[in-house]
Amino acid sequence: MLHIVHHPYYVSPAAPGSSFSFDKYGLVMQAFAEHAVPHQIHLPDPMVRAWIEAVHDPLYVEQVASCAVPADKERRIGFPVTERVSRRAFLAPGGTWLAARLALQHGFAANSAGGSHHALADSGAGYCVFNDLAIAANRLIAEGDAKRVMIVDLDVHQGDGTAALMAGRADVFTFSIHAEKNFPVRKARSSFDLGLSDDTGDEDYLAALARHLPQAIDMFGPDLILYQAGVDPHAEDRLGRLALSDAGLAARDRFVMHAARQRGLSIASALGGGYGDDRMAVARRHVRSMLALHEAFMACGE
Ligand SMILES: [Zn+2]
């Protein structure tokens, strides 16, 4: 049984003047329906505001809640924060947190949104409003659901917001493998960073992952992994540069799942980045990622 966290309000009408497509989150569920995989859909609640404020500046949280985000921050985010965008900004962290709770119960669960890894304390950035990964990690630890959380971020872009928000915490480890020559221009410092060169390709990418991920997990000793499973390292992604194939991405996801399950760790995934004019192709890429994780999870004997 695949546990998926999804909310109809993850989807929002396209924002004027932005190329960010909010319909991706609906298309992912449409693409998922093409597969006959036993699953259960879980509806998240909006994240409790105090838990967002535990990570983000309360003034910025209020700006998002009241759809009064200043223009310079909206420019940084990449779209205007309308009522629908605001609503989904509160739902996505609720979704990642719920996926983590389900993962602790069942071993694996996937949020069909989230992975907003560029959002900083007092502003969103790079299509991210609130940092669901940091919010969820902090809440899980504060409420005693987990003692040590590892955020594994394999989106093509560095998880700079997550790194900045979780910096200095001994109980959260941020792991990012990304394209070095890509947004953000100025990288933050994660607990572990590996910036790869353009057109790295499957073989070198998977070798780098195998060299560094198991070692980082063993060194840190998390009891839960939050996995930002962005599919933008794909060769055909509009913003990707790492030239991974479908098979390469699937091998990546299987490797992450095996690394977690061989150590008895629960793992929750968040959707992360994926961009292209063929929006259904992008949605199918995300679904293949979820299914690769699920199949590897089942193969590990739950
Ligand atoms: Zn990305």
Side-chain angles (χ1 to χ4, degrees):
M1 179 79 83
L2 172 53
H3 295 274
I4 299 182
V5 177
H6 179 74
H7 197 291
Y9 286 143
Y10 280 174
V11 185
S12 162
S18 168
S19 61
F20 188 80
S21 91
F22 288 99
D23 61 356
K24 175 167 98 171
Y25 306 95
L27 294 179
V28 165
M29 297 313 285
Q30 255 183 55
F32 179 73
E34 294 168 356
H35 302 265
V37 177
H39 65 280
Q40 194 178 339
I41 301 208
H42 304 261
L43 209 63
D45 290 321
M47 178 53 78
V48 176
R49 188 157 162 170
W51 288 115
I52 300 181
E53 291 175 345
V55 165
H56 289 280
D57 178 358
L59 173 65
Y60 172 58
V61 179
E62 172 56 28
Q63 289 168 343
V64 173
S66 57
C67 305
V69 176
D72 59 322
K73 291 187 190 180
E74 287 192 333
R75 264 196 303 278
R76 212 168 161 186
I77 292 168
F79 46 74
V81 179
T82 60
E83 201 179 326
R84 286 295 290 267
V85 171
S86 170
R87 182 155 54 182
R88 69 182 301 288
F90 282 84
L91 277 170
T96 296
W97 176 79
L98 177 58
R101 297 260 305 186
L102 289 164
L104 288 167
Q105 194 182 339
H106 303 289
F108 169 56
N111 186 14
S112 70
S116 299
H117 59 170
H118 299 306
L120 298 155
D122 64 351
S123 176
Y127 302 145
C128 304
V129 180
F130 292 143
N131 194 311
D132 55 298
L133 300 162
I135 293 164
N138 178 67
R139 180 173 178 181
L140 290 160
I141 292 170
E143 292 191 323
D145 288 314
K147 287 194 178 67
R148 296 165 76 77
V149 175
M150 185 163 178
I151 300 170
V152 174
D153 188 332
L154 299 184
D155 191 280
V156 82
H157 305 99
Q158 193 209 25
D160 60 332
T162 318
L165 290 171
M166 299 286 97
R169 286 190 66 146
D171 49 6
V172 179
F173 190 102
T174 52
F175 180 101
S176 180
I177 296 182
H178 48 266
E180 184 62 29
K181 284 191 210 156
N182 210 334
F183 180 91
V185 177
R186 276 198 306 183
K187 307 282 187 283
R189 190 160 166 198
S190 314
S191 313
F192 173 86
D193 280 302
L194 180 62
L196 297 172
S197 46
D198 288 7
D199 299 317
T200 288
D202 293 347
E203 198 180 324
D204 289 350
Y205 183 94
L206 293 168
L209 183 63
R211 196 174 316 125
H212 297 290
L213 182 63
Q215 197 182 322
I217 296 175
D218 290 336
M219 190 197 63
F220 178 66
D223 37 28
L224 171 71
I225 290 178
L226 299 182
Y227 176 34
Q228 208 276 24
V231 294
D232 46 13
H234 192 272
E236 281 160 36
D237 191 274
R238 184 160 54 81
L239 304 180
R241 308 177 84 115
L242 292 179
L244 296 200
S245 67
D246 288 340
L249 274 182
R252 173 197 77 167
D253 293 329
R254 281 196 302 270
F255 187 86
V256 172
M257 180 56 74
H258 284 144
R261 296 308 288 167
Q262 277 165 0
R263 293 161 176 81
L265 299 174
S266 298
I267 175 164
S269 65
L271 206 68
Y275 309 93
D277 294 332
D278 185 345
R279 302 194 318 284
M280 203 58 194
V282 172
R284 290 203 177 98
R285 230 166 262 155
H286 282 295
V287 168
R288 278 197 296 273
S289 171
M290 280 192 232
L291 292 177
L293 287 166
H294 175 61
E295 282 155 20
F297 174 71
M298 299 302 279
C300 291
E302 308 218 10

